[in-house]
Amino acid sequence: MLLLDRATELLLENRLREAEFMFKQVLKQNPKNGKALFGLGRICMRLEQYDNAIYYLKRACEHLPKMLDPLYALADAFIAVGSPVDAKTVLEYALSVARHNAQIHYHLGQFYLDHGFIDNAKQVFEKGLECPPSGVSIFMIFELMQLQSAAEIPALMQRITELEGSYEHPTFHIVAYHAMATGHQALGENEKAFEFYQKANDLQLSQCKFKTADMLPFFNRVLNTFNQDYFGKPTDKVQSTFTPVFIVGLPRTGSTLLEQILTQHSQVGSMGESVIISDKIVPYLEMRTERAFPECALELSTSMLDYCRNVYVDEIKKHRVQEEVVINKLPANFQNIGLIYKIFPQAKIIHLTRDFMANAWSVYSNHFAEDEPYFCSLTEFQHYAAIEAQVMEHFKPLLKRSIYTVSYEKLIEEPERTVQKILNFTYLKYEPECMEFYKSRSKVETLSKTQVRQPLHERSLSRWKTFESAMEKALNNEKG
């Protein structure tokens, strides 16, 4: 028992190799120890060794039949290897053995939402609210606020009132405020809606550890590092079997929508919002050059660049992407364009833009899990938008043939023509299946997961106008 406890402690400290050794020692004594098998499965998940994770987690589930966490982990492992059908089977089995557990209802409901089974998600969340209340109850109400009809919203609001005060952590209050705001907006009670959006965002802003202005020195270094001299130097001749495409810009400018449209093409696949560059490639370069990013990009050798390419290709393989064009739709990659160019000179950058007020409202009226100031303050978002615009205006003249700008408005108003132009930019022919993106059951984890399951409509272009005066007042007050 002491060995197992120590292994678990090491896992919590992220000392994975030591934890792995100890878990295996436990299994030598007892090959059926479910907790040790679960521990090894968790380690494999962290190391992104998904096939090994499935092996250990399956065995863990056999020997821990009453525990839900191994089942959740096994479902995540199946999703990671592109087997959502198996993940669905696991989660539905978990529900069958824990029907009175709100947590499993929430997990399964989120799975249904991610894969476009909206009615199933709604039913599971409704059943989940019949379970004894728990921390996820607020989150299920929040999801239902966006799925239910107006007639059903007052009852959900009453449930929030009943749960008020049950949980102390600010996250629960932020989500509850967003849920109330969504409900009031659906009922046409716009003043009340804005009041709750403001409460949610003000509380979340108070949790942020930095201001957008704190990022200015970093972005100034990006502009100074990736200058004309940098781009004037010869690049490696890269023989690549795929074309990397990066969709960049501000949040809520349509990156998920565009990704879903493009991936209906027979030759386009996606890694989703992959952080491979910032989380793996940049730390490697900083370690090798002993210089921070972006200055580490000034000392790139051919061997370093080859290593970076291999890391990126390995990530593509993990995502089981086999198509000719591979999308990475992480909006914040706009700060990495200079590095991307050196690693993949043939990369294509699609820059998405959107009317500022519409964009600002879309950010302000959605709940982002991350406590970052530009997600929960109109003025902070205005500062961030100005930085992004400055960075993109810097890169565009330096990489004229590699960057293509698309406005969200054009994508909505002239979808077919716009998509044809984008595909032409990536050297692909248009396929009409692209316009049937809303029928897809591919996984979507972003805030747009329900919107992209519907045909295109123009409501999103003017939704912000209802709140225009309140937004302007808030912008002026925050500045003051």
Side-chain angles (χ1 to χ4, degrees):
M1 197 65 182
L2 288 174
L3 197 61
L4 184 61
D5 290 342
R6 181 56 184 150
T8 304
E9 286 175 10
L10 290 168
L11 177 57
L12 291 172
E13 294 168 9
N14 210 37
R15 294 162 65 181
L16 302 185
R17 294 303 179 195
E18 296 168 77
E20 180 184 17
F21 175 79
M22 288 199 173
F23 281 130
K24 286 183 175 178
Q25 291 299 114
V26 173
L27 289 178
K28 280 184 179 180
Q29 299 170 15
N30 177 10
K32 295 182 179 180
N33 188 300
K35 291 185 178 179
L37 290 164
F38 183 34
L40 288 171
R42 291 168 67 193
I43 289 170
C44 290
M45 286 294 288
R46 290 196 196 176
L47 295 174
E48 299 179 347
Q49 298 170 354
Y50 300 121
D51 291 329
N52 290 338
I54 289 170
Y55 168 75
Y56 285 118
L57 292 170
K58 274 185 175 179
R59 291 179 61 196
C61 292
E62 289 172 14
H63 299 295
L64 298 169
K66 295 183 179 180
M67 280 186 66
L68 291 177
D69 285 343
L71 289 166
Y72 296 151
L74 180 58
D76 288 341
F78 277 129
I79 288 169
V81 298
S83 298
V85 173
D86 290 318
K88 179 172 175 283
T89 301
V90 170
L91 290 172
E92 288 177 346
Y93 167 76
L95 179 62
S96 73
V97 298
R99 291 198 177 278
H100 300 294
N101 185 299
Q103 187 80 34
I104 180 55
H105 284 82
Y106 180 68
H107 265 77
L108 181 56
Q110 282 297 330
F111 173 87
Y112 285 142
L113 274 187
D114 288 350
H115 290 86
F117 299 102
I118 309 300
D119 289 339
N120 298 62
K122 181 179 167 183
Q123 290 167 15
V124 170
F125 289 141
E126 288 172 342
K127 285 289 184 185
L129 289 182
E130 295 174 10
C131 300
S134 72
V136 297
S137 300
I138 289 286
F139 290 84
M140 289 192 286
I141 293 171
F142 172 66
E143 297 293 356
L144 283 170
M145 281 292 191
Q146 302 167 75
L147 302 174
Q148 299 281 44
S149 66
E152 296 165 300
I153 283 173
L156 290 172
M157 288 179 162
Q158 180 60 35
R159 290 297 300 272
I160 293 174
T161 304
E162 292 167 4
L163 288 169
E164 198 171 1
S166 301
Y167 307 101
E168 293 183 9
H169 197 281
T171 298
F172 295 106
H173 296 286
I174 292 166
V175 173
Y177 289 148
H178 268 291
M180 291 294 282
T182 304
H184 282 298
Q185 187 175 351
L187 295 173
E189 299 166 357
N190 295 321
E191 284 188 22
K192 274 284 186 187
F194 193 86
E195 180 184 322
F196 276 103
Y197 280 130
Q198 208 158 21
K199 283 183 178 181
N201 283 291
D202 287 350
L203 180 54
Q204 189 162 8
L205 186 62
S206 71
Q207 306 302 304
C208 297
K209 300 288 192 287
F210 69 98
K211 296 291 185 185
T212 308
D214 298 336
M215 303 166 70
L216 282 171
F218 167 76
F219 281 106
N220 286 333
R221 287 166 48 218
V222 167
L223 299 179
N224 291 331
T225 300
F226 300 122
N227 55 24
Q228 197 158 4
D229 289 342
Y230 177 88
F231 288 102
K233 293 174 182 175
T235 57
D236 290 354
K237 291 184 178 179
V238 180
Q239 295 295 324
S240 181
T241 57
F242 69 99
T243 301
V245 171
F246 295 84
I247 301 176
V248 304
L250 293 170
R252 305 295 298 170
T253 52
S255 61
T256 300
L257 172 61
L258 181 58
E259 176 207 36
Q260 288 297 294
I261 291 172
L262 295 180
T263 51
Q264 303 317 301
H265 193 285
S266 60
Q267 293 175 271
V268 180
S270 177
M271 304 163 69
E273 292 191 351
S274 173
V275 294
I276 182 68
I277 292 177
S278 56
D279 282 13
K280 290 186 180 178
I281 290 176
V282 166
Y284 162 76
L285 294 175
E286 290 180 327
M287 181 269 295
R288 282 293 305 271
T289 63
E290 297 184 352
R291 298 184 72 179
F293 183 81
E295 289 81 9
C296 63
L298 297 172
E299 298 185 20
L300 301 176
S301 66
T302 298
S303 63
M304 288 182 204
L305 289 169
D306 283 341
Y307 179 86
C308 294
R309 290 178 195 114
N310 289 333
V311 168
Y312 201 86
V313 169
D314 286 344
E315 189 72 10
I316 291 171
K317 289 176 181 175
K318 284 175 189 170
H319 282 80
R320 306 301 207 261
V321 181
Q322 299 177 332
E323 288 82 2
E324 178 186 325
V325 171
V326 182
I327 293 173
N328 183 338
K329 63 170 287 287
L330 183 70
N333 266 329
F334 71 86
Q335 68 191 40
N336 296 319
I337 287 176
L339 177 58
I340 288 168
Y341 172 73
K342 288 293 183 184
I343 299 171
F344 296 115
Q346 82 280 24
K348 297 293 183 180
I349 312 290
I350 300 171
H351 176 219
L352 284 172
T353 65
R354 188 175 183 180
D355 171 81
F356 171 74
M357 291 293 274
N359 196 178
W361 178 247
S362 187
V363 171
Y364 195 73
S365 60
N366 275 282
H367 172 240
F368 289 80
E370 301 84 1
D371 291 331
E372 297 174 20
Y374 35 82
F375 289 146
C376 47
S377 160
L378 291 169
T379 51
E380 292 288 332
F381 180 74
Q382 194 171 42
H383 295 326
Y384 187 67
I387 290 171
E388 187 267 354
Q390 183 185 12
V391 171
M392 291 310 302
E393 286 306 309
H394 171 81
F395 281 124
K396 283 177 185 177
L398 296 169
L399 293 170
K400 290 179 182 176
R401 296 183 180 181
S402 300
I403 300 177
Y404 186 75
T405 302
V406 180
S407 80
Y408 177 79
E409 288 75 20
K410 278 291 181 189
L411 182 60
I412 298 297
E413 293 166 354
E414 300 177 2
E416 197 166 335
R417 187 161 177 258
T418 304
V419 171
Q420 285 175 342
K421 288 181 176 180
I422 294 169
L423 289 170
N424 184 53
F425 173 64
T426 57
Y427 306 116
L428 294 175
K429 291 183 179 179
Y430 176 74
E431 293 179 358
E433 289 79 6
C434 292
M435 290 297 101
E436 297 186 341
F437 65 92
Y438 54 90
K439 297 178 182 178
S440 170
R441 288 290 180 261
S442 60
K443 186 180 182 185
V444 178
E445 293 183 284
T446 66
L447 296 174
S448 304
K449 62 178 71 173
T450 54
Q451 292 96 315
V452 297
R453 308 303 182 183
Q454 307 165 28
L456 290 176
H457 56 78
E458 297 189 5
R459 293 192 296 275
S460 58
L461 300 181
S462 56
R463 191 176 285 130
W464 67 275
K465 291 184 179 177
T466 305
F467 300 92
E468 183 174 8
S469 60
M471 287 176 71
E472 289 177 347
K473 184 178 178 182
L475 277 164
N476 291 330
N477 286 346
E478 287 181 20
K479 286 175 184 175

